[in-house]
Amino acid sequence: MPDVAIVGAGQTAFTRKSGMALREMCFDAYKEAMEGLDLTNKTIDASILCSAPEYDKQRSPAGSVSEYLEFTPAPAFYIESVCSSSSMGLRVAWSMIEAGLHKVVAVIGVQKMSELSSRDAAERMGRGGDIIWESPFGLTMPAGYGMYARGHMAQHGTTSEQLAKIRVKAAFYGAKNPKATYRKEVSLQEVLTSETVADPLKRFDCCANADGASCIILVKGDIARSVCKVPIWVVGLGAATDTMTMSGRTLLSGLKCAQAAAAEAYKMAKVTSADIDVAEVHDCFTIAELMAYEDLGFAKPGQGVRLIEEKQTYADGKIPVNVDGGLLSKGHPIGATGGSQIRTIVRQLRGQATEAQVKDPEIGLVHNIGGIGQYANVTILKR
Amino acid sequence: MGFENFGKVSFTAETKASDFVTYLEQGKVMATKCRKCGAVSFPPKMDCPSCFESSVDWIEVKAPGKLATYTVVTYGPTGFEDDAPYTLGLVDYGDFKVFGRICRDIPTNEIKVGMTVRAVATKLPDNHIAYEFVKA
């Protein structure tokens, strides 16, 4: 029996440069999340801020955001698991509500990546790997996923063209999403001829750094229907980790932590991959979406390419995936990403995704990965 | 020489595993082995959370391994701008894997998943030291 509901979900537009302070971006996401709810800032009885450190100067940002949104004196928490921070925040909020400690919790994800140069951001993300043994060789996020792409190609014969088709899909939907950083369609040829970043990944195989914030409002089940018209129930939660080091990985054509998180979430929700009507997966790179198809069980290992070849992950396909543009086109403001994925699924389940509504979905899934597959969160939501 | 000289850019000056760098100076790439349970670790690990033992034997990573995957990094992050392009590889030794750079002398078109390589110590500019993979 699900006992925790999402009643509100919001986000800022994701942009290259927001021109706003962290707390101001959080306000915009919070404002959209609270639209139409019978709640006020004084009924939020705890807040959880989710971001990756070292992009901005604010130490302990949970406090500054709590003050700006006037949540004080409600307790404020800070959660970090790099790119999956806000899905992990949702897991913590769920636990606090289930435990009876809090009834109304705001999970706010935020990142302002534009405060750093592209190379500095790449260095910070590289230090999301093991700083003693691997970062000193020049490890970056694209390099880590480039190694998975090479691993998938060696294991299953996957091609760059098949990966490129995932970006073509992302750009098709990104062009329709007013909140996306990258709002242009791209051709297969443009993806394939873009410059190499970490072979075999090219520029268009990689998501864009962005500024942005997201906000999810969760409540105890017994008040859900009194604060909003259509509560979305949190029915499955899965979380797992893998090694920080690349050298500790036993599989190089999929993410074991994602497989473990998915198994746990399906079990808790008492559903299988075949029951999922719409999904948001962590496509920080094209290869990441392909591995997600297989790690989540939408396709057998090595068969994920057929889903994209046959356009089965488009909005009218068998299992629509990332029909909001994904991280690839929407942009990836680290801490805000999980909340944005959850917002998309909430809108889909409520029939409000006007840009690319999937036909009458009942069960949705969010797959959110931190780092180069160090952290995984899978969340299953139901109307 | 301390651990601050490990790799192109070291982010850690102090670790109980700094003997790794001393061995590199002698041309040896080493892993650790727990003295109590015998678990072999790469990267080296000075503490064993399974048996709470903190004494290890250093063992040399001598035998060749197989290249499990690799990537050619074209866009270097801060500190590595002038270094790119460089090739990162992950080499499977059976009991453990080793992450590092593939030697620049191997042309990119000759690098293949499954090829046999071995890890050798290599000196870097500014008195830094690392290891890299060469053809076995």
Side-chain angles (χ1 to χ4, degrees):
Chain A
M1 176 68 187
D3 201 29
V4 177
I6 294 171
V7 291
Q11 73 166 90
T12 62
F14 288 175
T15 59
R16 285 284 186 189
K17 193 164 176 54
S18 68
M20 284 191 272
L22 219 63
R23 63 192 73 175
E24 295 159 356
M25 290 195 285
C26 293
F27 172 80
D28 282 0
Y30 170 65
K31 183 180 171 185
E32 192 193 50
M34 291 287 278
E35 251 171 42
L37 303 187
D38 190 15
L39 291 172
T40 70
N41 52 346
K42 291 301 168 198
T43 48
I44 305 286
D45 68 2
S47 66
I48 301 177
L49 194 84
C50 315
S51 75
E54 291 197 40
Y55 287 90
D56 52 85
K57 298 281 190 278
Q58 180 67 56
R59 302 284 295 159
S60 199
S64 69
V65 171
S66 173
E67 178 186 351
Y68 197 71
L69 301 182
E70 298 175 8
F71 294 156
T72 44
F77 301 80
Y78 185 56
I79 294 286
E80 189 271 330
S81 59
V82 221
C83 323
S84 67
S85 296
S86 43
S87 285
M88 196 65 97
L90 182 140
R91 185 180 173 92
V92 172
W94 185 93
S95 312
M96 296 196 308
I97 293 169
E98 272 289 298
L101 270 177
H102 298 290
K103 268 201 147 177
V104 183
V105 181
V107 177
I108 299 169
V110 67
Q111 212 76 58
K112 194 176 179 200
M113 299 179 76
S114 65
E115 291 205 9
L116 298 179
S117 72
S118 176
R119 281 193 201 277
D120 279 355
E123 188 260 0
R124 297 300 189 283
M125 291 309 288
R127 283 194 284 122
D130 188 285
I131 64 150
I132 299 185
W133 299 104
E134 298 192 351
S135 307
F137 289 100
L139 177 65
T140 61
M141 287 284 141
Y145 274 98
M147 293 177 110
Y148 273 102
R150 181 70 65 201
H152 203 279
M153 288 172 168
Q155 184 73 29
H156 300 298
T158 308
T159 66
S160 290
E161 189 170 321
Q162 288 167 330
L163 293 181
K165 285 181 178 170
I166 288 172
R167 181 54 199 261
V168 172
K169 172 174 71 74
F172 176 76
Y173 290 109
K176 298 175 189 295
N177 185 349
K179 303 275 193 184
T181 303
Y182 194 87
R183 300 206 55 201
K184 280 186 286 194
E185 290 194 36
V186 296
S187 69
L188 193 64
Q189 209 51 32
E190 281 174 281
V191 182
L192 287 170
T193 55
S194 60
E195 67 270 31
T196 302
V197 174
D199 166 80
L201 299 178
K202 303 174 178 65
R203 185 164 62 90
F204 276 121
D205 286 300
C206 309
C207 66
N209 292 346
D211 290 355
S214 62
C215 177
I216 307 297
I217 309 288
L218 293 108
V219 305
K220 180 90 179 149
D222 59 3
I223 62 167
R225 287 185 204 283
S226 66
V227 301
C228 81
K229 286 198 187 90
V230 188
I232 299 299
W233 300 95
V234 180
V235 294
L237 290 166
T241 55
D242 204 338
T243 57
M244 283 297 272
T245 56
M246 290 296 291
S247 59
R249 303 299 170 88
T250 52
L251 179 68
L252 294 168
S253 54
L255 300 180
K256 290 194 83 167
C257 59
Q259 295 169 0
E264 186 188 342
Y266 287 139
K267 189 177 172 197
M268 178 174 163
K270 298 188 178 68
V271 299
T272 70
S273 56
D275 297 315
I276 306 301
D277 299 313
V278 57
E280 279 282 297
V281 310
H282 195 89
D283 60 332
C284 47
F285 301 92
T286 49
I287 179 63
E289 178 164 326
L290 180 64
M291 291 194 295
Y293 294 167
E294 299 171 1
D295 292 338
L296 293 168
F298 298 156
K300 291 195 169 72
Q303 302 288 304
V305 291
R306 283 169 59 184
L307 288 178
I308 189 69
E309 295 270 22
E310 295 168 4
K311 293 197 165 186
Q312 297 289 3
T313 47
Y314 277 69
D316 54 358
K318 198 168 72 183
I319 172 65
V321 174
N322 294 359
V323 294
D324 60 353
L327 283 58
L328 285 166
S329 275
K330 200 171 55 179
H332 181 25
I334 314 293
T337 286
S340 167
Q341 293 178 299
I342 290 159
R343 171 185 174 273
T344 291
I345 295 299
V346 167
R347 284 163 53 84
Q348 284 285 348
L349 297 178
R350 285 175 166 172
Q352 296 171 341
T354 42
E355 306 85 26
Q357 179 65 50
V358 169
K359 192 169 176 291
D360 202 26
E362 193 189 339
I363 301 175
L365 177 148
V366 174
H367 157 281
N368 189 194
I369 302 295
I372 310 162
Q374 279 102 359
Y375 306 94
N377 284 83
V378 174
T379 308
I380 299 175
L381 305 177
K382 196 172 177 194
R383 190 173 58 204
Chain B
M1 189 188 281
F3 210 82
E4 66 275 13
N5 293 316
F6 176 62
K8 164 79 177 166
V9 180
S10 176
F11 300 98
T12 312
E14 293 185 337
T15 160
K16 291 196 289 180
S18 62
D19 279 352
F20 183 79
V21 168
T22 311
Y23 282 115
L24 276 183
E25 283 285 296
Q26 299 163 14
K28 291 176 182 170
V29 179
M30 305 293 272
T32 52
K33 185 175 182 179
C34 172
R35 278 195 185 154
K36 195 165 175 188
C37 72
V40 175
S41 295
F42 196 96
K45 183 167 181 168
M46 307 309 285
D47 305 290
C48 181
S50 297
C51 57
F52 293 107
E53 180 62 44
S54 291
S55 60
V56 301
D57 288 316
W58 288 92
I59 55 169
E60 194 172 356
V61 181
K62 245 185 185 167
K66 277 196 187 319
L67 185 64
T69 188
Y70 68 95
T71 180
V72 183
V73 179
T74 323
Y75 186 81
T78 298
F80 298 85
E81 301 94 328
D82 305 331
D83 231 21
Y86 51 87
T87 305
L88 298 172
L90 193 54
V91 175
D92 196 344
Y93 285 85
D95 288 342
F96 54 85
K97 292 192 181 75
V98 178
F99 175 94
R101 290 237 186 133
I102 296 175
C103 176
R104 289 179 193 276
D105 294 347
I106 307 177
T108 306
N109 62 7
E110 287 181 21
I111 300 173
K112 300 273 185 274
V113 170
M115 73 190 283
T116 308
V117 296
R118 59 191 175 86
V120 298
T122 179
K123 298 213 164 151
L124 302 177
D126 303 322
N127 228 15
H128 278 233
I129 193 160
Y131 56 84
E132 63 182 7
F133 301 115
V134 297
K135 280 185 178 173

